[in-house]
Amino acid sequence: MAKRLAESGITGSQSKRQRVTDDRSSKTNVEEISSAKQLQTLLAFNQDAGPDTKRSIHTFKVFLESIAYGQDASLQASRREMLHEYLKVQPKLQTGVESSFDLDLVKTWDFTSQLKNEALFTAVTGVLALLLKSISHHIEFREYGKSICHLLLDSGRLSLFEKGLSAQKSKDQLICSCLRLLTEIVSFDGGSSAKRVYRARDTTFKRLDTFLNLRQDTSIAVSSLRRKPSIRNTALRYLFANLRLQDHGAKIEVLGNGRILRSVFQNIKDDPPLIIYEILNAIRNDILKDEKIPRRIKCRLFTDQVLGSIATLYGYLNGNDSVQGEESSQERKSIPDLAHAFLFSVCTTPEYGILIGDNRQHRGADGEGDEAPTVPNWEGPVTSERQPTKPKSIRNRVLASFLQTLRPYADDKQRDLISSIFQAAPELVSDFFRMKKSFSFDPKLTATWAGYAAFLMSTINLPVEQRALVSENHSLVPPSVSDIIESILPLPLTPKVVSRCLSQNHVLIRFFAIKILGAAFEKFARVLENLRAVQTTADEYHSELWCSAMSSLVGNFSQRCPDMSSVITAFRSCTAEENVLQEASARLLSLYYHHLPQTALEQKFDVSFALASEFDDMLSGAHTQENGGLKALVVEHLISIARCSPDMRWWQRSEENEQLSLFGSALRLCATLGGDYPRHSFEALLQSAVTEGLSLQSGPENQLLAMLLRSIVKTQEWHPSDALFSFLDGCFSRLSKKAVKYYQELLQQIAFIHQHTENSSAYWGSELLMVVIEQWPFVQGAATPLDLENISRWLLRFLTVLKHNGGDDGLLGRVRDQVKSITANEKCSNLFSESAEISLGNSYSSERTQAEIPSSPLPTARVTGIAKKQDAEMVAWRPPGPPAVEDEDHPGLGKWKQLDIEEAVVEGAIGDLMLCLCSKYGQIRKQALMELRIWMRKLQTSQYSEREALHLLTGEVLETGNSLKADEALPYFAGEAAAEFCLVLSDPLHGLYSKVNKFLNKAPTWNSKQMASYWVDQVLMHLPTNDEAHYKEVGWLLELLIRGLRTDADMELYRRCHILERLLSLIASARLQAPQQERILALLFRCSYVGGSTTLITRYSLLGWAQCITASGVVSGSRAVAVQRLVQDCVSRCEKKRVDDWSGGRIVDQRA
């Protein structure tokens, strides 16, 4: 028994092994199909799920694979023909009725499902998918394929799909086969059956989000992906087929399923490279580029979590990072590159849904532009602290949240992505740094800190276009200053942190900090320029808003910048080898002086010492060929600073160079330098020295300086010596200390020439010639004969240049003769004798042409009083009469009511009403205040374009009038000024428009006793609104001062404000025109009428002043006669006893 049992067991075991062998042979020994009839016999339906059925299914699978993937074209064609014959003879296929079409393979599919044979069911499902794939690209199979798709999607067979899609997660082959079959059905014939698939979405899309999360084991190689894809990969291809081929309604509904799309991107970093590429490519081509999908649907697709998941691909470290042998060359890119390109297009293209293109922040957050613009608040400074608890309302909220997940300091691609997003949506700059709590720029020489520095630099260097500051619908309102300042100096760059960076010992940290600040200054200048360009095109009211925004921007930028002393320390700490750092520091200091002059001038930076040190190095040849270019840039930056610095020590000699001062060194370098050094910068520096030192003031300084430079240019016959530059340096130093003395000597020389010649032309010259005459005896004793000859030849060259550019023969000849008379050196004396008529142009040769200096005669405003012909041509001028007295009827109280708003302003009726506040009668002043209140109410309800500015002016006049005592009247200057302000505000093109608005914005009330001093300072000591309108503003001021001087109280007010001192000195200005001189004289006559004669004589020395301006030729002709009459009137109207006591009786003769 036991032995039989054993034999029985062996036999059974051998029988099982035999079946396994037969099963393997069924897969390996594939039957060769040679005809459609054989194929029909092979696939004939029978109720058997045994090895024969499996062998038939496998044989058909191999047959289809040879069609779909075969390499032999002739074999593929023959087998497609057999397959076509097979399908053609299927039952009832020719009727064209879908329900009547039958296919044995589908019956087998139904039967295997009933038998619950999952292996065979999976195999048949896969063969059906392969069948559709094999015939999908051939037109002759179109009707057959469509019939098969309809047959498979029949309501009775949807349960088969539901069975496969409801299987356990571990049965991946079953699930994948069903998903592949559905994918082929959707893809067949360009999606002709896609609608039927979507109608059955309760079955066909069942558990799709779950399948998208079922990844393949990460240990499986990439090469096996196509042979055995995971459930997720198969589900992704099914989803992408639907997104590609479904109609837009179905696509929108699919995209509305958040779980499906979240599953696509969740943990995408765990997918193989090929799948990542397919995901990004499908989303880009089938969703983002589909213009029929609404923008809001695309926006829902990409949440900050989705973008963050894609951003994790920046750190993709899969060893199989590139895909080989695929149909697109893009697959050979690395995954980080693909992710970066995808995120860049998604985040910077408004059509893709995420980016909201309008960058302006005053518009609503919902993206609509119908609401009215609001005016930003610029009253306080922008805070430098992060405020995460109160986030600012922004439009691009998704991008703002996504940016917080990126690490720009660790990856160049992420840094580039953030910069691109900032450029597309500037509003995100301030939000990013405000909400980024972990962003710290404390100086530490690490890779992270260097990454931070590079990111900040890229943010600051983002271009600022004018369109970024102006929205399409709200171009009248300026942008938020807080947003602008964050793009210029981001929040981590606090003054404290940057100062710490500048004080570090590491050169790299200091260099980064300096370059970042330099870039911030350049961007600040560009932004101001763009704001100014927009402001010029805005209307009057909104122009004020833009001006306020610019002022606020300047103030906030000044507060956000570190103290300039830190930059000065960094510049001084540069060693001789740190040329790059020195150049960057000097450039930053120059930017401080040009863009924040008020801040720069508060610091004590001795640029004279630094510039002198560089000049000494240049003169000594310390600049080598290697560092010459950088040193030239340093010198140019320092020269730029020197031209802005008010306390330059031009004439002080340093310990290193006791021969030449800073001016002398610059003069020598300008005449001898070459190579990389900018000559124009040295010329500009010398011009600044000449202007500040009051040298060469008899004519236009730039022309006379150019003549001097021409005279010291070396030629083949002559070159300047060191002694010449030392001599010129000493002459200019003396001229700067005693400019008045040498000017008077020049006037005496001109007067002498006028008395001894019949020539009546104008004369001009240079005070430098007077210094040369004075110093010539001393230079003879100190210089060697060669040096003296060199200086003599220079003097002749200088006189020749003056001669060729309009100088007078007599004056220049007299200078030559005086120098010759005191020259003891015989050779030098002969040189002067040879130039008998100062015609040294033939012996003077220069490489520079005459065209470089204007040949027209120079203006002669300071010495024209000597020329008789010019006096004869002057128009006669008569002094004004006494001031007008107050009209007892006061028509100004009611005149304005008879006119409309604009006429009342333009015709001066409102000005007359305001002048009533200056009345000596208290009742008139009270009535004027009441009328002004009525005017304000009428103005406020009018449609007059300038009503806002006039309302402000009237309110301040009312407040000023109410602040006065009951028996105190408004000074006439304040009343006349208020009347004049009405006319100015009614004309936005008026030259004083901006200054009047600035005055009105100072305070709600006026200090009427200091108004005259304020306006004299604003007009005489500040730049005009228009560069060419200075003297127009001066004329306006003088006329206002004349009309505002009516009583003794007004004269006392002028005396207390020191008005007359400034005007008495102003009349001697070289460029003051005749009308302004006449206005000053008219004001002085008005002073004599209101009891100011004694003050003019005793306090302002009127008699000496009159003699000085008459003798020097400042005034001439009828104005000179008016000055004499002014003296007579003041002497006759003054207090005799007081004047006699003051003068000691010396003015008795003047009274006659």
Side-chain angles (χ1 to χ4, degrees):
M1 276 299 281
K3 190 172 182 180
R4 287 177 182 169
L5 285 174
E7 291 177 354
S8 172
I10 293 172
T11 303
S13 175
Q14 290 176 350
S15 174
K16 288 182 180 180
R17 285 196 297 273
Q18 185 64 34
R19 285 198 299 269
V20 171
T21 301
D22 292 343
D23 185 63
R24 288 176 181 176
S25 63
S26 67
K27 294 183 179 180
T28 56
N29 299 327
V30 179
E31 181 181 352
E32 186 69 24
I33 299 176
S34 59
S35 64
K37 184 175 182 180
Q38 183 183 0
L39 188 60
Q40 185 175 5
T41 304
L42 181 68
L43 297 178
F45 172 72
N46 58 73
Q47 296 183 355
D48 181 20
D52 294 336
T53 302
K54 293 180 181 180
R55 186 182 305 107
S56 300
I57 296 299
H58 181 67
T59 300
F60 189 52
K61 177 183 177 183
V62 174
F63 175 80
L64 293 175
E65 286 178 347
S66 65
I67 298 176
Y69 307 113
Q71 301 297 324
D72 190 345
S74 60
L75 180 62
Q76 287 180 316
S78 61
R79 292 191 173 184
R80 276 198 304 270
E81 186 177 354
M82 284 187 283
L83 181 61
H84 185 269
E85 291 296 330
Y86 164 72
L87 294 176
K88 187 175 181 180
V89 298
Q90 292 301 303
K92 300 181 181 181
L93 180 62
Q94 296 177 355
T95 62
V97 181
E98 298 171 0
S99 59
S100 64
F101 180 78
D102 199 1
L103 191 66
D104 291 337
L105 191 61
V106 176
K107 294 180 181 179
T108 305
W109 190 41
D110 293 337
F111 180 70
T112 55
S113 175
Q114 296 173 7
L115 294 179
K116 298 182 180 181
N117 189 336
E118 292 182 357
L120 188 57
F121 180 80
T122 301
V124 176
T125 306
V127 168
L128 287 171
L130 188 57
L131 172 62
L132 291 175
K133 184 178 181 66
S134 302
I135 65 176
S136 61
H137 298 293
H138 302 279
I139 189 65
E140 64 271 18
F141 291 97
R142 178 182 179 185
E143 296 300 329
Y144 304 121
K146 290 173 65 176
S147 298
I148 295 173
C149 292
H150 292 309
L151 186 64
L152 294 175
L153 293 175
D154 185 69
S155 58
R157 293 186 176 83
L158 288 177
S159 58
L160 302 181
F161 286 105
E162 185 173 2
K163 175 182 178 181
L165 297 178
S166 300
Q168 297 180 2
K169 299 178 183 179
S170 58
K171 299 179 180 181
D172 54 345
Q173 292 186 1
L174 175 59
I175 297 173
C176 287
S177 62
C178 292
L179 290 175
R180 281 198 301 272
L181 180 56
L182 288 173
T183 303
E184 296 300 332
I185 294 174
V186 172
S187 303
F188 187 82
D189 192 27
S192 59
S193 302
K195 287 185 178 181
R196 293 177 61 91
V197 174
Y198 188 71
R199 289 195 197 104
R201 56 185 173 276
D202 291 340
T203 299
T204 55
F205 281 82
K206 187 176 183 179
R207 298 177 66 196
L208 183 59
D209 56 329
T210 303
F211 298 151
L212 291 172
N213 289 315
L214 298 179
R215 283 180 168 79
Q216 198 172 25
D217 188 0
T218 56
S219 60
I220 298 177
V222 176
S223 58
S224 64
L225 292 179
R226 288 196 177 274
R227 184 175 57 84
K228 189 179 180 181
S230 65
I231 297 179
R232 170 179 168 81
N233 300 350
T234 309
L236 283 172
R237 293 190 174 101
Y238 171 56
L239 175 63
F240 296 154
N242 280 277
L243 293 177
R244 184 173 63 256
L245 299 171
Q246 293 286 359
D247 59 13
H248 291 88
K251 290 174 67 173
I252 291 173
E253 290 188 19
V254 172
L255 294 175
N257 191 329
R259 293 182 302 174
I260 292 178
L261 294 176
R262 281 196 299 270
S263 300
V264 171
F265 294 102
Q266 189 173 6
N267 296 324
I268 191 175
K269 65 180 184 342
D270 296 331
D271 288 325
L274 178 60
I275 297 303
I276 294 175
Y277 166 74
E278 290 182 358
I279 293 174
L280 300 182
N281 191 53
I283 295 297
R284 180 190 296 108
N285 296 331
D286 301 331
I287 298 177
L288 297 179
K289 292 184 178 181
D290 191 343
E291 298 179 355
K292 295 184 180 180
I293 297 179
R295 190 172 180 272
R296 56 184 177 83
I297 300 298
K298 299 178 183 179
C299 185
R300 285 182 198 168
L301 172 61
F302 291 101
T303 63
D304 52 342
Q305 292 88 355
V306 169
L307 295 175
S309 298
I310 300 174
T312 58
L313 298 177
Y314 280 117
Y316 194 80
L317 299 177
N318 194 320
N320 300 315
D321 196 358
S322 60
V323 180
Q324 302 293 333
E326 298 301 325
E327 58 273 355
S328 176
S329 60
Q330 290 183 339
E331 297 182 53
R332 289 191 289 272
K333 287 184 178 180
S334 65
I335 294 302
D337 290 339
L338 290 172
H340 177 69
F342 181 83
L343 288 175
F344 179 85
S345 60
V346 167
C347 298
T348 60
T349 307
E351 292 76 11
Y352 288 176
I354 302 179
L355 177 66
I356 301 177
D358 189 2
N359 302 322
R360 296 295 304 280
Q361 297 312 298
H362 55 260
R363 300 182 63 188
D366 58 353
E368 299 297 332
D370 298 333
E371 63 274 15
T374 58
V375 180
N377 179 21
W378 301 303
E379 295 298 327
V382 178
T383 178
S384 60
E385 297 180 357
R386 296 181 173 87
Q387 298 178 355
T389 57
K390 297 180 180 180
K392 184 178 179 179
S393 178
I394 58 175
R395 296 167 60 83
N396 293 281
R397 299 186 182 92
V398 174
L399 288 177
S401 300
F402 168 59
L403 289 176
Q404 298 297 319
T405 64
L406 298 178
R407 298 191 305 163
Y409 57 87
D411 187 5
D412 292 342
K413 293 185 178 65
Q414 296 188 47
R415 180 164 61 248
D416 294 341
L417 177 63
I418 295 180
S419 299
S420 301
I421 295 175
F422 283 167
Q423 186 173 354
E427 61 163 347
L428 297 177
V429 179
S430 58
D431 179 80
F432 175 81
F433 291 107
R434 188 182 295 114
M435 304 301 294
K436 195 76 171 178
K437 300 178 182 180
S438 60
F439 201 112
S440 175
F441 197 61
D442 291 331
K444 298 176 183 178
L445 193 57
T446 61
T448 300
W449 186 90
Y452 276 138
F455 171 62
L456 291 174
M457 177 66 81
S458 64
T459 301
I460 295 173
N461 284 331
L462 290 176
V464 178
E465 300 179 3
Q466 185 171 329
R467 62 178 179 83
L469 303 175
V470 184
S471 70
E472 181 179 356
N473 298 329
H474 300 292
S475 59
L476 300 179
V477 180
S480 172
V481 174
S482 61
D483 290 343
I484 298 177
I485 199 68
E486 286 299 333
S487 66
I488 299 174
L489 268 178
L491 195 60
L493 296 174
T494 61
K496 181 179 179 181
V497 170
V498 178
S499 297
R500 289 181 57 192
C501 294
L502 293 174
S503 62
Q504 293 293 310
N505 294 327
H506 296 289
V507 177
L508 187 60
I509 293 180
R510 282 184 288 159
F511 180 74
F512 265 119
I514 290 172
K515 294 296 288 184
I516 287 174
L517 280 179
F521 269 95
E522 290 181 346
K523 187 171 186 178
F524 170 70
R526 293 196 302 270
V527 170
L528 274 184
E529 182 180 356
N530 288 338
L531 290 176
R532 222 173 266 118
V534 178
Q535 182 260 336
T536 55
T537 60
D539 57 33
E540 179 181 349
Y541 171 73
H542 294 93
S543 177
E544 296 179 8
L545 296 180
W546 286 90
C547 291
S548 300
M550 287 188 286
S551 300
S552 178
L553 178 62
V554 173
N556 282 283
F557 182 74
S558 177
Q559 293 180 6
R560 294 284 287 270
C561 287
D563 193 74
M564 202 180 80
S565 59
S566 303
V567 185
I568 296 174
T569 303
F571 173 74
R572 290 173 176 170
S573 62
C574 295
T575 61
E577 293 78 16
E578 297 171 349
N579 297 320
V580 177
L581 183 60
Q582 186 185 30
E583 186 275 332
S585 304
R587 176 174 172 272
L588 181 57
L589 289 174
S590 176
L591 292 172
Y592 264 97
Y593 273 91
H594 281 84
H595 301 301
L596 294 178
Q598 185 175 0
T599 303
L601 295 178
E602 292 175 356
Q603 301 295 329
K604 295 182 179 180
F605 175 53
D606 188 6
V607 68
S608 304
F609 176 80
L611 199 55
S613 177
E614 292 296 331
F615 284 174
D616 293 341
D617 292 342
M618 293 173 65
L619 292 172
S620 62
H623 292 182
T624 63
Q625 185 176 0
E626 289 76 12
N627 63 5
L630 288 174
K631 286 294 185 180
L633 291 176
V634 172
V635 171
E636 189 169 2
H637 297 325
L638 293 178
I639 289 176
S640 178
I641 295 173
R643 295 179 60 190
C644 302
S645 180
D647 54 353
M648 286 294 296
R649 293 178 293 175
W650 297 108
W651 322 108
Q652 182 176 347
R653 300 183 179 183
S654 61
E655 297 180 356
E656 293 80 3
N657 188 358
E658 298 180 354
Q659 300 297 323
L660 296 175
S661 65
L662 182 62
F663 178 84
S665 300
L667 187 64
R668 179 179 176 182
L669 288 170
C670 190
T672 59
L673 61 79
D676 298 326
Y677 299 100
R679 181 186 179 89
H680 66 277
S681 298
F682 285 91
E683 293 179 353
L685 177 66
L686 292 172
Q687 182 60 50
S688 299
V690 166
T691 304
E692 295 178 14
L694 301 179
S695 330
L696 302 174
Q697 60 183 5
S698 297
E701 294 86 349
N702 58 342
Q703 295 184 13
L704 287 173
L705 177 62
M707 297 176 196
L708 175 63
L709 294 176
R710 284 195 61 193
S711 66
I712 60 176
V713 173
K714 66 180 180 179
T715 63
Q716 295 179 357
E717 296 82 8
W718 177 88
H719 62 86
S721 63
D722 295 343
L724 171 62
F725 291 111
S726 180
F727 172 70
L728 288 175
D729 189 26
C731 290
F732 276 104
S733 179
R734 290 180 178 276
L735 182 58
S736 66
K737 297 174 183 177
K738 300 179 181 180
V740 177
K741 174 194 173 201
Y742 296 114
Y743 175 64
Q744 293 176 351
E745 292 180 1
L746 178 62
L747 292 180
Q748 293 174 3
Q749 294 279 3
I750 296 175
F752 179 83
I753 297 298
H754 176 67
Q755 294 173 2
H756 293 80
T757 183
E758 296 180 356
N759 185 12
S760 60
S761 61
Y763 298 90
W764 62 267
S766 171
E767 296 90 332
L768 179 61
L769 297 176
M770 304 300 104
V771 186
V772 171
I773 295 174
E774 180 189 72
Q775 296 299 313
W776 196 259
F778 302 99
V779 74
Q780 290 188 88
T784 63
L786 290 177
D787 290 337
L788 183 60
E789 180 184 356
N790 187 273
I791 297 174
S792 300
R793 290 186 180 277
W794 163 79
L795 180 57
L796 292 175
R797 291 163 61 89
F798 185 49
L799 294 175
T800 303
V801 175
L802 295 177
K803 161 69 176 180
H804 289 169
N805 289 274
D808 179 74
D809 291 347
L811 176 60
L812 301 179
R814 179 173 173 79
V815 172
R816 179 206 59 199
D817 294 340
Q818 288 183 354
V819 174
K820 176 186 174 183
S821 64
I822 57 178
T823 302
N825 187 289
E826 181 178 358
K827 187 174 182 180
C828 295
S829 179
N830 293 335
L831 288 175
F832 291 114
S833 300
E834 292 174 359
S835 57
E837 298 179 359
I838 284 301
S839 56
L840 301 180
N842 296 331
S843 62
Y844 169 68
S845 62
S846 172
E847 297 176 2
R848 301 178 65 180
T849 62
Q850 182 73 15
E852 295 184 32
I853 299 178
S855 59
S856 59
L858 299 178
T860 57
R862 304 189 63 129
V863 292
T864 51
I866 304 173
K868 298 178 180 178
K869 183 178 179 180
Q870 192 168 351
D871 288 340
E873 295 175 351
M874 292 184 178
V875 180
W877 175 76
R878 295 182 178 181
V885 296
E886 182 179 355
D887 192 344
E888 297 295 330
D889 295 332
H890 299 96
L893 290 175
K895 181 181 177 181
W896 69 275
K897 296 181 179 179
Q898 304 173 7
L899 306 172
D900 60 21
I901 297 293
E902 184 173 0
E903 291 177 348
V905 175
V906 175
E907 295 183 9
I910 301 302
D912 294 339
L913 175 61
M914 293 178 177
L915 275 174
C916 292
L917 296 176
C918 305
S919 175
K920 59 185 176 181
Y921 304 106
Q923 199 65 27
I924 298 298
R925 297 195 296 271
K926 291 182 180 179
Q927 189 174 351
L929 290 174
M930 294 178 61
E931 293 293 329
L932 284 174
R933 293 188 182 94
I934 298 174
W935 159 254
M936 281 190 66
R937 290 194 293 269
K938 184 177 180 181
L939 182 65
Q940 192 171 10
T941 58
S942 71
Q943 299 298 321
Y944 185 45
S945 60
E946 306 301 328
R947 64 182 181 278
E948 297 291 341
L950 288 172
H951 187 274
L952 176 62
L953 170 63
T954 309
E956 293 187 4
V957 173
L958 274 173
E959 291 296 326
T960 304
N962 291 327
S963 65
L964 300 176
K965 297 179 182 178
D967 57 346
E968 183 180 4
L970 188 70
Y972 267 103
F973 180 85
E976 291 287 353
E980 189 65 24
F981 291 168
C982 289
L983 300 178
V984 172
L985 293 177
S986 65
D987 181 15
L989 299 179
H990 196 284
L992 275 299
Y993 187 84
S994 61
K995 290 187 177 181
V996 169
N997 278 282
K998 181 180 179 182
F999 172 77
L1000 295 179
N1001 288 322
K1002 285 175 62 65
T1005 60
W1006 298 350
N1007 186 351
S1008 58
K1009 296 182 180 180
Q1010 296 294 328
M1011 277 188 66
S1013 177
Y1014 172 85
W1015 278 104
V1016 170
D1017 180 77
Q1018 286 295 314
V1019 173
L1020 298 184
M1021 307 302 294
H1022 288 72
L1023 293 174
T1025 305
N1026 188 347
D1027 294 339
E1028 300 178 359
H1030 174 67
Y1031 287 102
K1032 291 183 180 179
E1033 293 187 10
V1034 172
W1036 177 87
L1037 172 66
L1038 293 173
E1039 192 65 29
L1040 182 61
L1041 289 170
I1042 293 172
R1043 295 202 307 267
L1045 185 58
R1046 296 192 183 186
T1047 64
D1048 296 344
D1050 298 327
M1051 179 63 199
E1052 178 64 16
L1053 186 146
Y1054 283 14
R1055 184 191 67 80
R1056 291 178 179 274
C1057 293
H1058 306 284
I1059 302 298
L1060 298 179
E1061 291 97 325
R1062 304 185 188 185
L1063 299 183
L1064 290 174
S1065 60
L1066 176 65
I1067 200 172
S1069 175
R1071 304 191 181 192
L1072 191 68
Q1073 301 172 357
Q1076 283 78 35
Q1077 289 184 344
E1078 295 171 358
R1079 292 293 84 196
I1080 294 176
L1081 294 176
L1083 179 62
L1084 296 177
F1085 273 99
R1086 181 65 64 89
C1087 292
S1088 68
Y1089 287 120
V1090 295
S1093 299
T1094 303
T1095 303
L1096 289 175
I1097 294 174
T1098 59
R1099 184 179 182 87
Y1100 303 112
S1101 186
L1102 178 67
L1103 276 66
W1105 172 81
Q1107 292 176 359
C1108 180
I1109 65 171
T1110 304
S1112 62
V1114 172
V1115 295
S1116 57
S1118 59
R1119 288 185 291 277
V1121 175
V1123 170
Q1124 298 301 325
R1125 178 180 170 182
L1126 173 64
V1127 173
Q1128 295 175 4
D1129 289 353
C1130 289
V1131 171
S1132 63
R1133 294 170 183 162
C1134 68
E1135 299 177 15
K1136 309 297 189 291
K1137 186 177 183 304
R1138 183 180 174 187
V1139 171
D1140 286 342
D1141 294 340
W1142 174 78
S1143 65
R1146 288 177 294 177
I1147 310 183
V1148 177
D1149 296 334
Q1150 294 285 347
R1151 297 176 185 175

